[in-house]
Amino acid sequence: MAISNEPKQDRSRATRQRLLEATIDCLAEMGWSAATVAVVAEWAGVSRGAAQHHFPTREDLITAALTYMFDTRTEQALVNAVTATGRARTEAVVTGLVESYTSPLFKAALQVWTHAAADPALRERIVPLEARFGRGAHRRAVEALGVDDSDPVVHRLVQATLDLARGLGLADVLTDDSARRKEIVAQWADTLHQALVAAGARLS
């Protein structure tokens, strides 16, 4: 019985994933107003009925898409850091974090956060989600750096790195800021590495 259900379950998972990815792309490229269930379903190549089967409301679809993409893409952004050592590892972490905040995911999330600021019902759903994103990003950065976050100095340095990455992401929304961003990333990586060493962090 379980075997006969597998193809249907696989198709369902594939449909769900297409919808989540299409939601992020639609938000990033066309904005909040255009990212309706009907439009996302069209982008994903599925029927509106199939989309609503998985996500009954627009808010369900968007919050699920942000959660899915954050979990997968943040992990991917830091994957190169774990193979590096010393100063190179620190720069790989900083680069990965900044790239995650200049990706379509961040631009999509920014559309949602902006709309949520004026929509109390959506804000109730987004505020705890954003807090979870923040905690997750901090934890992944700590793991990628290989440092002890119980040290308050280290904790603040990691948080400052995330704040810097977010700010650079905002600067990239309207214009291509890549040249200046590359210089800032290199400078902050030097500063961060030295500060972590001075704080007694054991960097791999």
Side-chain angles (χ1 to χ4, degrees):
M1 191 72 169
I3 294 176
S4 63
N5 286 336
E6 281 182 358
K8 183 177 180 180
Q9 291 171 350
D10 289 343
R11 288 195 299 272
S12 179
R13 282 193 292 269
T15 297
R16 179 184 173 89
Q17 184 168 340
R18 285 203 305 274
L19 286 166
L20 296 175
E21 293 175 348
T23 300
I24 295 299
D25 292 340
C26 189
L27 280 167
E29 293 184 28
M30 300 179 65
W32 171 268
S33 297
T36 63
V37 173
V39 171
V40 168
E42 184 178 351
W43 277 45
V46 304
S47 69
R48 181 172 180 173
Q52 289 182 317
H53 169 73
H54 287 277
F55 306 103
T57 70
R58 184 189 196 187
E59 289 72 20
D60 291 334
L61 174 62
I62 286 173
T63 53
L66 290 177
T67 300
Y68 168 75
M69 289 298 166
F70 176 82
D71 289 342
T72 57
R73 293 188 183 179
T74 305
E75 198 74 42
Q76 293 168 0
L78 295 175
V79 70
N80 292 331
V82 297
T83 59
T85 59
R87 161 67 175 71
R89 182 170 185 171
T90 304
E91 183 164 5
V93 172
V94 176
T95 299
L97 289 172
V98 170
E99 287 178 352
S100 72
Y101 279 102
T102 53
S103 68
L105 171 58
F106 178 71
K107 291 178 173 64
L110 191 59
Q111 290 285 336
V112 179
W113 295 335
T114 301
H115 188 78
D119 184 336
L122 181 62
R123 186 166 63 247
E124 284 186 10
R125 300 183 68 158
I126 295 302
V127 167
L129 192 62
E130 201 279 332
R132 181 196 157 201
F133 290 172
R135 290 192 300 271
H138 190 103
R139 175 176 52 79
R140 286 183 172 93
V142 168
E143 291 171 353
L145 285 166
V147 294
D148 179 10
D149 193 53
S150 65
D151 183 327
V153 173
V154 171
H155 181 87
R156 287 193 293 271
L157 286 168
V158 172
Q159 192 57 51
T161 304
L162 289 166
D163 291 341
L164 172 69
R166 186 182 296 109
L168 290 173
L170 287 170
D172 192 64
V173 169
L174 295 178
T175 60
D176 182 1
D177 200 44
S178 55
R180 186 179 72 93
R181 185 169 66 247
K182 184 176 180 180
E183 294 178 359
I184 293 173
V185 167
Q187 181 60 61
W188 178 248
D190 279 335
T191 302
L192 175 63
H193 191 75
Q194 293 171 17
L196 288 171
V197 170
R202 296 182 178 178
L203 301 175
S204 301

